[in-house]
Amino acid sequence: MPISLAVLEQVIREAGSIALTHFKDLKHLEVTKKSPRDLVTEADVAVEVFLQEALSRHYPQYGFWGEESGQSANQSSRWIVDPIDGTHSFSRGQYFWAISVALEIDGELIFGAVYAPALDDYYAAEKGKGAWKNGEAIRVSKESSLADAMVATGFACLRSYLQENNLARFCRIAEVTTGQRRFGSAALDLCLVADGQVDAFWEQELNLYDVAAGALIAAEAGATLTDFKGNSGVFPKQILVTNGKILSQILPLM
Ligand code: IPD
Ligand code: CA
Ligand code: CA
């Protein structure tokens, strides 16, 4: 059964209003630590419970994989959901967090949506049909000089206490670029590349639910998706997304 973009947007926006209810009452927000540097809140859980129920009601043939509840039986065709990407930011009242929903059928990403309720920005893409933000088509930037580029990254590696982390790589790249950002939501970072707001994003030690929707949105907007060696594909543990024009310049620094 084909999916309905309108039904999906309505469901995801409703999930956003659940998140915003908690966001507007942070002093009562229940926050727990999954690990020393990894939080989960009652908002994450409430949004995921809502999405699992609504998506399985509309599309009972698909399975579900959510960051907080894990994987259902059917994983060959599944929704891949991060209920709140950027939980740290959310818990501190910052605006840069998002709900990420992707549909993967037989290993192929065919739909992705990243909704930032506090910014009221809804990014979405369908395989082969382009990417859009708030209904308008989006494309990667035209920046062809790394020296003039703005880049974004994250430090999930530090959450995992990885020895081979991103700090030296960040310094190498920061020294030869114009702007550097750490926004706090990998899902939204990918959408900013798609929307031409930044020219490249990279991060280690992510999970598929962090990047599935944003990767499709970026690819449909003309981005390259590789690992740090330049192999094409979606590699959550080593993801590099660029506007394509600066890929050859940034790869030697990865
Ligand atoms: C996190 C965000 C952050 C990234 C972390 C992710 P979460 O997602 O995407 O930008 O650096 O590694 O875990 O934990 O808030 O869903
Ligand atoms: Ca996440
Ligand atoms: Ca999350």
Side-chain angles (χ1 to χ4, degrees), residues 6 13-14 21 31 63 69 81 93 108-109 117 121 142 155 158 160 164 177 183 200 216 251:
R13 283 184 179 275
E14 196 169 331
T21 301
V31 181
S69 60
V81 169
E108 186 174 33
L109 292 169
D121 281 335
K142 295 183 168 51
F155 295 93
L158 298 179
S160 319
E164 198 290 310
T177 49
F183 289 107
L216 181 65
L251 269 176

Side-chain angles (χ1 to χ4, degrees), residues 38 67 82 84-87 156 159 182 184-186 203 206 210:
D38 193 5
E67 177 178 2
D82 188 340
I84 295 180
D85 184 68
T87 297
R159 176 180 289 175
R182 197 289 191 253
S185 164
E203 189 162 0
L206 291 169
D210 295 307

Side-chain angles (χ1 to χ4, degrees), residues 87-128:
T87 297
H88 269 123
S89 302
F90 177 94
S91 70
R92 305 297 292 269
Q94 298 167 12
Y95 286 16
F96 220 84
W97 50 273
I99 296 168
S100 181
V101 177
L103 178 59
E104 182 195 66
I105 295 181
D106 298 330
E108 186 174 33
L109 292 169
I110 64 148
F111 167 81
V114 174
Y115 175 43
L119 304 172
D120 197 21
D121 281 335
Y122 183 87
Y123 296 86
E126 261 197 297
K127 177 88 173 162

Side-chain angles (χ1 to χ4, degrees), residues 1-237:
M1 174 216 300
I3 53 174
S4 160
L5 298 181
V7 165
L8 287 168
E9 180 166 354
Q10 183 188 354
V11 165
I12 293 165
R13 283 184 179 275
E14 196 169 331
S17 61
I18 293 170
L20 281 175
T21 301
H22 292 280
F23 189 64
K24 290 170 184 168
D25 187 20
L26 291 176
K27 59 182 178 301
H28 295 111
L29 183 70
E30 278 175 38
V31 181
T32 51
K33 285 199 170 185
K34 292 194 277 192
S35 67
R37 294 176 174 171
D38 193 5
L39 302 182
V40 60
T41 76
E42 62 180 303
D44 297 77
V45 174
V47 167
E48 184 162 318
V49 166
F50 167 80
L51 284 171
Q52 183 160 15
E53 187 282 326
L55 292 171
S56 54
R57 177 162 30 90
H58 286 288
Y59 303 102
Q61 72 274 34
Y62 298 137
F64 188 89
W65 174 20
E67 177 178 2
E68 309 309 341
S69 60
Q71 297 183 338
S72 67
N74 172 7
Q75 289 298 302
S76 59
S77 299
R78 59 186 177 173
W79 297 103
I80 303 174
V81 169
D82 188 340
I84 295 180
D85 184 68
T87 297
H88 269 123
S89 302
F90 177 94
S91 70
R92 305 297 292 269
Q94 298 167 12
Y95 286 16
F96 220 84
W97 50 273
I99 296 168
S100 181
V101 177
L103 178 59
E104 182 195 66
I105 295 181
D106 298 330
E108 186 174 33
L109 292 169
I110 64 148
F111 167 81
V114 174
Y115 175 43
L119 304 172
D120 197 21
D121 281 335
Y122 183 87
Y123 296 86
E126 261 197 297
K127 177 88 173 162
K129 296 184 182 174
W132 55 93
K133 172 187 178 183
N134 301 331
E136 299 292 325
I138 54 176
R139 292 296 294 175
V140 295
S141 71
K142 295 183 168 51
E143 183 54 67
S144 58
S145 161
L146 187 64
D148 296 330
M150 178 176 282
V151 298
T153 189
F155 295 93
C157 48
L158 298 179
R159 176 180 289 175
S160 319
Y161 299 90
L162 271 194
Q163 288 305 312
E164 198 290 310
N165 61 42
N166 190 29
L167 294 173
R169 180 179 300 111
F170 174 74
C171 290
R172 284 196 299 273
I173 295 170
E175 282 178 328
V176 297
T177 49
T178 292
Q180 308 80 27
R181 296 289 185 274
R182 197 289 191 253
F183 289 107
S185 164
L188 271 177
D189 289 321
L190 290 158
C191 294
L192 295 192
V193 177
D195 192 28
Q197 294 185 44
V198 295
D199 307 310
F201 164 73
W202 76 92
E203 189 162 0
Q204 299 159 272
E205 287 308 295
L206 291 169
N207 293 289
L208 186 57
Y209 45 71
D210 295 307
V211 302
L216 181 65
I217 292 164
E220 287 294 322
T224 61
L225 291 107
T226 67
D227 64 10
F228 292 179
K229 294 185 178 60
N231 300 303
S232 293
V234 179
F235 301 95
K237 297 302 175 192

